Amino acid sequence: MIDPRPLLPAYDTMTFRRCGRSGVVLPAISLGLWHNFGGVDTFENARAMVRRAFELGITHFDLANNYGPPPGSAEETFGRILRRDLAGYRDELIISTKAGYRMWPGPYGDGGSRKYLLASLDQSLRRMGLDYVDIFYHHRPDPDTPLEETMRALDQAVRQGKALYVGLSNYGPEQTREAVRILRALGTPCLIHQPKYSMFDRWIEDGLLDVLDEVGMGCIVFSPLAQGLLTTKYLQGIPEESRAAKPHGFLTREEVTPGRVRCVQRLNELARARGQTLAQMALAWVLRHPGVTSALVGASRVEQIEDNVAALNNLAFTEAELQTIDRLLAEAG
């Protein structure tokens, strides 16, 4: 049962970080609604997770037009929670959404065209019951649309008052640099980049973080727990009800190799020696980098959010610990 008392966010205990060279700060842990907030999921569980996240000082909630399933239903769920619980806290929240992947049938429901992006944002605002979002992202580069057209659409969203800031997701270093150049020329600076980053996926260290520092953008990383692989769930292989066991999803059986299972077991030993869970250490590891503003976590239970936020109690690594982690990751292949 949901506690009817007013929510009291723990701002004093949450860690907030400056988002690039902007005036915005973000909580070091943010909540993503990619999974477990759709129409197929239990509403009261989703509501309890959002409420608890806010109580813990998580002020940033990240969505996309196609989150669900079905697509759009995560925004509808979040809109219901906003109306019931967070309507009076709107000015204390950073709410983001995205467009870029397929959302509706036909040629205008995917990609990076002005028509798709602006129509999608209007739909997202209606689903959430909002006048504006704080951040509107282009979700991925579109090779079939001129980059200038896509950036002009983001600029227009800000000028219309439907987004306060704009961001990019899944863009490479040079794509990011060029997008930032176009946006600056239009008068709408790019606030933030949302790339995938974890111990098992370190691609942003090969140039992207340098570009973000150069242009003054923030960075919020998704899948910092590698879709659950960097938790204790896979210490003995693949559980029946896990994401990797399902025929759909973004973690496959092929990714849970014997080498990675051994690596995760050793990483878990190191985390225990640090007084942390494996998930907490994995979050601390991505947040160790000064260029990372926030780690975007998902959850299926309130307890997972509480565990993730507790990672902030120990973000420091010794040089020996970092070297051990690098060695274990290299051995895992």
Side-chain angles (χ1 to χ4, degrees):
M1 182 176 178
I2 298 294
D3 191 330
R5 292 176 297 180
L7 294 168
L8 297 173
Y11 294 136
D12 292 342
T13 56
M14 171 55 69
T15 300
F16 287 88
R17 294 180 165 189
R18 182 70 50 189
C19 190
R21 292 195 288 272
S22 76
V24 175
V25 295
L26 294 179
I29 302 292
S30 299
L31 183 63
L33 280 69
W34 185 7
H35 301 289
N36 304 310
F37 291 85
V40 300
D41 300 300
T42 304
F43 173 75
E44 286 304 322
N45 184 54
R47 184 185 178 196
M49 288 192 288
V50 169
R51 285 177 57 98
R52 184 58 178 147
F54 186 55
E55 286 178 336
L56 291 169
I58 293 177
T59 54
H60 178 29
F61 297 92
D62 180 78
L63 299 104
N65 57 356
N66 61 349
Y67 288 176
S73 59
E75 290 180 329
E76 292 171 349
T77 295
F78 188 65
R80 290 176 64 191
I81 298 168
L82 280 172
R83 290 188 292 275
R84 292 192 183 196
D85 301 291
L86 297 175
Y89 301 96
R90 177 64 184 96
D91 292 338
E92 299 177 48
L93 304 176
I94 296 286
I95 300 170
S96 62
T97 195
K98 314 176 197 74
Y101 286 96
R102 176 159 293 278
M103 182 57 192
W104 62 82
Y108 313 122
D110 193 0
S113 70
R114 180 194 296 257
K115 180 171 178 60
Y116 169 49
L117 295 186
L118 296 178
S120 178
L121 178 55
D122 284 342
Q123 292 178 18
S124 291
L125 293 175
R126 285 196 295 270
R127 282 190 288 267
M128 291 187 282
L130 294 173
D131 296 323
Y132 70 94
V133 292
D134 297 277
I135 307 170
F136 182 47
Y137 289 89
H138 188 221
H139 211 161
R140 59 166 174 170
D142 178 11
D144 297 320
T145 300
L147 186 59
E148 184 169 333
E149 178 180 344
T150 302
M151 295 306 107
R152 282 188 177 276
L154 296 183
D155 171 70
Q156 185 173 340
V158 172
R159 293 182 185 280
Q160 289 176 332
K162 296 177 181 179
L164 299 186
Y165 303 94
V166 297
L168 308 172
S169 184
N170 299 306
Y171 274 58
E174 292 310 312
Q175 293 169 316
T176 298
R177 183 180 279 112
E178 180 61 11
V180 168
R181 184 194 66 78
I182 294 170
L183 284 168
R184 280 184 176 168
L186 293 170
T188 298
C190 196
L191 177 75
I192 193 167
H193 194 298
Q194 186 176 135
K196 188 176 183 180
Y197 183 49
S198 72
M199 290 183 183
F200 287 135
D201 191 348
R202 302 176 63 167
W203 74 275
I204 69 172
E205 296 175 4
D206 296 325
L208 180 62
L209 285 171
D210 291 335
V211 170
L212 299 184
D213 180 63
E214 171 192 323
V215 300
M217 286 174 64
C219 178
I220 180 169
V221 298
F222 72 90
S223 294
L225 303 181
Q227 294 290 306
L229 186 55
L230 287 166
T231 70
T232 55
K233 184 178 294 184
Y234 296 95
L235 290 179
Q236 306 303 324
I238 303 176
E240 286 187 13
E241 298 302 317
S242 65
R243 288 186 185 179
K246 298 176 181 178
H248 58 278
F250 293 87
L251 180 66
T252 66
R253 285 183 175 272
E254 292 71 28
E255 291 177 89
V256 189
T257 63
R260 282 193 165 182
V261 170
R262 287 192 297 272
C263 177
V264 168
Q265 291 170 344
R266 298 288 300 280
L267 289 171
N268 186 55
E269 294 173 4
L270 178 59
R272 292 176 62 183
R274 285 170 47 85
Q276 291 181 306
T277 65
L278 176 56
Q280 288 169 349
M281 186 179 76
L283 291 171
W285 185 88
V286 299
L287 289 168
R288 85 198 188 285
H289 199 292
V292 173
T293 313
S294 182
L296 186 59
V297 302
S300 59
R301 305 188 312 276
V302 164
E303 294 77 14
Q304 291 174 337
I305 298 173
E306 293 171 338
D307 182 76
N308 289 171
V309 171
L312 302 179
N313 295 330
N314 184 10
L315 296 179
F317 288 87
T318 66
E319 189 59 36
E321 288 173 333
L322 292 174
Q323 290 175 0
T324 297
I325 291 171
D326 285 343
R327 176 174 55 81
L328 294 174
L329 294 175
E331 291 173 355

